[in-house]
């Protein structure tokens, strides 16, 4: 099972694509703060108000992420209780977490900071004390703004000592731990939408997005305990002083608000991150699925930031939980610079699987030696096949599949790929798997939770022509015929089949023998796929089937 494809830099291949569905975490994750750094996404959030937890994931899907509480507060201090909205930031080469806490009395909420002891944010942290301006008023949701080589801190605070309104303040900093000047109010909740559910009236949950010299300061308004919680925006044009309130222009309407049609309520307290290749901006926010959920059931969700021709950001309306979303560009591509080196081999850690399985591996490489090369593949230290790496043309990247699926254990895995000799190097690896629960379902087909399935989910495809499971954004590096392996369960007691089409073309028949419930058998067929994005559809099942995943490998 071997295939090598090349593609020039004119239209670079950025990974196998695929889709995901919100939410991106299976536990409550209010006030999500997400950062992409050195091959990983990190998320922190309000973790029951008791400590500071970090999660680490290769992709924006945090359901199988590594989790670690990195800091517990001591008892009987002014910062021992009600730990709210930790904000993870990488500033001038160091990791910081800013958070708010009190002694059990809300009026004593103030901002504090942790500093990482190592380059790895999953390591140990040191408490660095309170981050306070000269007024020392109630303060939450602090984060640092870097602008024109200067530092500022932005937060939500009270003007006095009574909980009437939360305003947006900014102050200069001499370093990431020290406020060096007076606070300046740059926004207060004076618009109708900001005052919904009050008093108190709310500006909080600030987040920063910068592009082409402009600084966009997002914030959440309306009561966080209401479905009206929404995301607004302030804009600072290039070159203007952020400490001058009149330089900030407030959008009159929120950019993201509840969507009763899609069942999304109280979207807010967001952060921004990027796709792994840096070509896209993404918003991560929390929301609930019930109009009366209040502070319950707040889970992190993600959508891509859209940019207008005049350089302003916007978002699609808050998306339903059953809406497939194209994965961030280059998601699931594990690059060599983000691997560990061991004896000439590249080791990619934290490759997660929800069940024991085996997945295809596609290597990105350059081989300008003029000779055929090969690289050994390992999984958790055990040999798992090899990848043949034919010569590539100057300036071109080659793509080659391993000669066997890579076995993955439940939990975290380490995938290794060996050296391939002089003039040859592996640039990245990826596992081209597409989960059926993330596909588009229609006509009675539905996604479902299934603990025995890859990704802990599957899609149920009932019999009939109307029902369909459609895998969107299936990307391959070059046009050609590929082996498509579909894992299917057929508990009907009789043989069943379904038609499989790529891009609306000629149907291939997938014949599924009877088997056990929730036992998914991988069945292979060949399909012609185009370079770039494809759609693969299963329709017309003759009996009820459950679809686990779809894998792409080379033609035999």
């Amino acid at each position: 099972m071997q295939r090598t494809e090349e593609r020039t830099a004119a239209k670079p291949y950025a990974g196998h694509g695929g889709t995901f569905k919100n939410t991106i975490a299976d536990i409550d994750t209010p006030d999500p703060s997400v950062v992409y750094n050195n091959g990983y996404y990190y998320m922190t959030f309000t973790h029951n108000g008791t400590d500071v937890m970090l999660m680490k994931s290769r992709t924006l899907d945090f359901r199988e992420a590594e989790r670690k509480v990195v800091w517990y507060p001591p008892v009987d201090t002014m910062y021992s209780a009600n730990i709210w909205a930790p904000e993870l930031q990488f500033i001038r080469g160091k990791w910081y977490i800013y958070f708010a806490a009190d002694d059990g009395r809300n009026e004593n909420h103030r901002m504090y900071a942790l500093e990482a002891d190592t380059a790895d944010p999953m390591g140990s942290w040191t408490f660095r004390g309170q981050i306070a301006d000269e007024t020392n008023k109630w303060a939450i949701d602090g984060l640092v703004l870097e602008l024109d080589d200067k530092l500022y801190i932005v937060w939500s605070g009270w003007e006095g000592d009574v909980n009437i309104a939360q305003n947006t303040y900014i102050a200069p900093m001499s370093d990431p731990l020290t406020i060096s000047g007076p606070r300046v109010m740059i926004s207060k909740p004076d618009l109708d939408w900001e005052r919904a559910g009050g008093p108190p009236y709310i500006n909080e949950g600030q987040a920063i997005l910068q592009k082409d010299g402009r600084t966009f300061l997002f914030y959440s308004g309306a009561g966080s305990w209401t479905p009206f919680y929404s995301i607004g925006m302030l804009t600072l044009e290039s070159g203007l002083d952020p400490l001058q309130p009149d330089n900030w222009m407030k959008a009159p309407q929120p950019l993201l608000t509840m969507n009763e049609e899609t069942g999304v309520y109280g979207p807010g307290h967001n952060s921004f991150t990027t796709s792994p290749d840096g070509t896209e901006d993404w918003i991560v926010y929390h929301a609930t699925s019930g109009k009366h959920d209040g502070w319950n059931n707040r889970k992190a969700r993600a959508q891509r930031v859209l940019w207008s021709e005049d350089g302003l950001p916007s978002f699609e309306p808050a998306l339903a939980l059953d809406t497939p979303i194209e994965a961030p560009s280059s998601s699931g591509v594990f690059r060599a610079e983000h691997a560990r080196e061991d004896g000439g081999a590249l080791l990619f850690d934290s490759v997660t699987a929800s069940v024991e399985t085996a997945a295809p591996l596609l290597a990105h490489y350059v081989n300008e030696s003029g000779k055929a090369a090969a690289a050994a593949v390992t999984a958790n230290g055990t040999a798992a096949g090899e990848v043949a790496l034919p010569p590539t043309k100057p300036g071109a990247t080659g793509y080659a599949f391993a000669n066997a699926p890579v076995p993955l254990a439940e939990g975290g895995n380490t995938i290794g790929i060996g050296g391939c000799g002089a003039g040859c190097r592996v640039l990245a690896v990826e596992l081209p798997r597409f989960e059926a629960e993330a596909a588009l379902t229609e006509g009675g087909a539905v996604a479902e939770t299934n603990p025995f399935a890859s990704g802990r989910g599957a899609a149920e495809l009932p019999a009939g022509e109307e029902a369909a499971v459609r895998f969107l954004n299936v990307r391959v590096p070059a046009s050609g015929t590929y082996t498509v392996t579909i894992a299917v369960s057929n508990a009907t007691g009789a043989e069943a089949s379904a038609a499989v089409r790529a891009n609306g073309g000629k149907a291939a028949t997938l014949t599924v023998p009877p088997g056990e419930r929730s036992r998914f058998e991988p069945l292979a067929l060949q399909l012609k796929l185009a370079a770039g994005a494809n759609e693969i559809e299963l329709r017309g099942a003759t009996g009820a089937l459950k679809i686990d995943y779809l894998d792409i490998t080379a033609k035999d």
Side-chain angles (χ1 to χ4, degrees):
M1 188 168 62
Q2 194 66 44
R3 185 187 185 89
T4 301
E5 301 291 353
E6 292 187 14
R7 197 154 179 194
T8 65
K11 293 182 179 180
Y13 170 71
H16 60 275
T19 56
F20 71 94
K21 293 177 180 177
N22 283 322
T23 60
I24 61 173
D26 56 5
I27 62 173
D28 281 8
T29 42
D31 315 323
S33 172
V34 176
V35 175
Y36 179 79
N37 181 274
N38 200 32
Y40 292 93
Y41 286 97
Y42 299 91
M43 178 163 66
T44 187
F45 54 97
T46 299
H47 186 229
N48 303 316
T50 58
D51 53 46
V52 176
M53 174 180 277
L54 278 180
M55 297 199 291
K56 177 181 180 180
S57 174
R58 285 281 187 178
T59 70
L60 262 181
D61 183 352
F62 285 91
R63 291 172 300 167
E64 302 295 329
E66 177 185 352
R67 301 175 186 176
K68 181 182 179 181
V69 174
V70 297
W71 186 76
Y72 292 95
V75 298
D76 298 328
T77 72
M78 295 300 291
Y79 49 88
S80 295
N82 297 318
I83 298 170
W84 290 354
E87 187 78 27
L88 177 67
Q89 294 191 267
F90 190 69
I91 303 170
R92 296 181 174 176
K94 290 187 176 182
W95 288 103
Y96 297 90
I97 293 176
Y98 301 92
F99 66 94
D102 65 24
D103 60 351
R105 301 172 62 193
N106 178 47
E107 59 267 31
N108 291 330
H109 257 113
R110 300 295 188 271
M111 298 183 296
Y112 300 89
L114 306 174
E115 183 177 340
D117 298 325
T118 68
D120 180 6
M122 301 300 286
S124 61
W125 290 74
T126 297
F127 178 72
R128 296 303 303 270
Q130 185 180 348
I131 308 296
D133 74 301
E134 60 190 11
T135 69
N136 196 26
K137 300 294 185 183
W138 187 93
I140 64 169
D141 298 350
L143 79 162
V144 171
L145 164 65
E146 296 185 81
L147 181 64
D148 298 331
D149 296 322
K150 296 180 181 179
L151 299 180
Y152 306 85
I153 188 165
V154 178
W155 73 95
S156 173
W158 295 352
E159 185 173 8
D161 297 315
V162 181
N163 188 10
I164 299 172
Q166 294 174 218
N167 307 312
T168 299
Y169 291 95
I170 188 171
M173 302 187 85
S174 57
D175 60 62
L177 298 169
T178 309
I179 294 177
S180 57
R183 69 176 186 171
V184 176
M185 184 196 301
I186 57 175
S187 175
K188 60 183 179 180
D190 53 8
L191 299 175
D192 286 346
W193 73 266
E194 298 172 310
R195 298 170 70 84
Y201 307 113
I202 305 296
N203 274 190
E204 67 180 17
Q206 288 77 10
I208 295 164
L209 182 62
Q210 295 173 310
K211 188 177 178 69
D212 299 332
R214 284 171 160 167
T215 296
F216 303 98
L217 179 59
F218 289 77
Y219 65 95
S220 295
S224 60
W225 55 91
T226 75
F228 308 111
Y229 201 50
S230 301
I231 297 174
M233 183 180 75
L234 303 170
T235 301
L236 180 74
E237 295 293 340
S238 177
L240 296 184
D241 183 358
L243 297 176
Q244 295 298 319
D246 291 344
N247 289 340
W248 292 94
M249 303 301 295
K250 180 186 284 191
Q253 297 297 328
L255 277 72
L256 192 66
T257 189
M258 74 172 176
N259 188 343
E260 293 188 270
E261 182 178 344
T262 59
V264 181
Y265 301 94
H269 206 122
N270 70 286
S271 59
F272 292 100
T273 189
T274 66
S275 58
D277 61 9
T279 63
E280 299 169 348
D281 295 300
W282 284 75
I283 182 173
V284 181
Y285 61 95
H286 76 232
T288 74
S289 300
K291 194 170 187 177
H292 304 291
D293 281 349
W295 287 324
N296 299 313
N297 192 33
R298 295 179 295 172
K299 292 183 173 65
R301 307 172 185 225
Q303 296 181 201
R304 188 162 64 90
V305 178
L306 307 176
W307 291 97
S308 66
E309 291 184 0
D310 56 0
L312 294 176
S314 65
F315 318 109
E316 289 185 272
L319 300 173
L321 296 184
D322 62 356
T323 299
I325 303 168
E326 288 192 6
S329 179
S330 77
S331 181
V333 176
F334 312 142
R335 302 203 61 81
E337 57 264 34
H338 302 143
R340 291 187 292 117
E341 292 192 36
D342 183 11
L346 299 174
L347 299 179
F348 299 90
D349 297 321
S350 302
V351 179
T352 59
S354 61
V355 295
E356 184 177 328
T357 187
L361 181 142
L362 176 64
H364 305 205
Y365 73 100
V366 171
N367 180 6
E368 297 182 349
S369 69
K371 301 180 295 182
V377 178
T378 61
N380 301 314
T382 301
E386 69 172 17
V387 185
L389 306 173
T392 56
K393 296 176 182 177
T397 298
Y399 302 93
F401 287 92
N403 63 354
V406 177
L408 300 174
E410 180 179 351
N413 294 267
T414 297
I415 294 175
I417 188 163
C420 54
C424 176
R425 59 193 175 97
V426 173
L427 305 176
V429 299
E430 58 179 309
L431 307 179
R433 170 161 292 180
F434 305 85
E435 298 290 352
E437 66 271 17
L440 177 64
T441 53
E442 60 185 23
V446 293
E448 63 177 22
T449 300
N450 189 313
F452 304 102
S454 172
R456 302 198 187 280
E460 183 175 350
L461 179 65
E465 283 297 324
E466 296 301 317
V469 176
R470 297 164 56 190
F471 292 87
L472 310 178
N473 195 36
V474 177
R475 294 182 175 269
V476 294
S479 299
T481 301
Y482 289 80
T483 296
V484 176
T485 301
I486 304 172
V488 191
S489 171
N490 174 12
T492 65
E495 183 178 274
S497 65
V500 183
R501 291 181 174 84
N503 305 316
K506 183 179 179 181
T509 299
L510 183 72
T511 301
V512 187
E516 300 176 20
R517 186 180 303 276
S518 292
R519 182 178 178 86
F520 297 95
E521 297 293 341
L523 303 172
L525 46 77
Q526 271 70 52
L527 290 176
K528 289 184 177 181
L529 302 177
N534 298 266
E535 177 183 324
I536 298 177
E537 177 191 82
L538 282 76
R539 184 185 292 272
T542 60
L545 303 174
K546 292 184 186 294
I547 315 299
D548 186 1
Y549 61 79
L550 180 151
D551 285 348
I552 301 292
T553 55
K555 184 179 179 182
D556 289 330

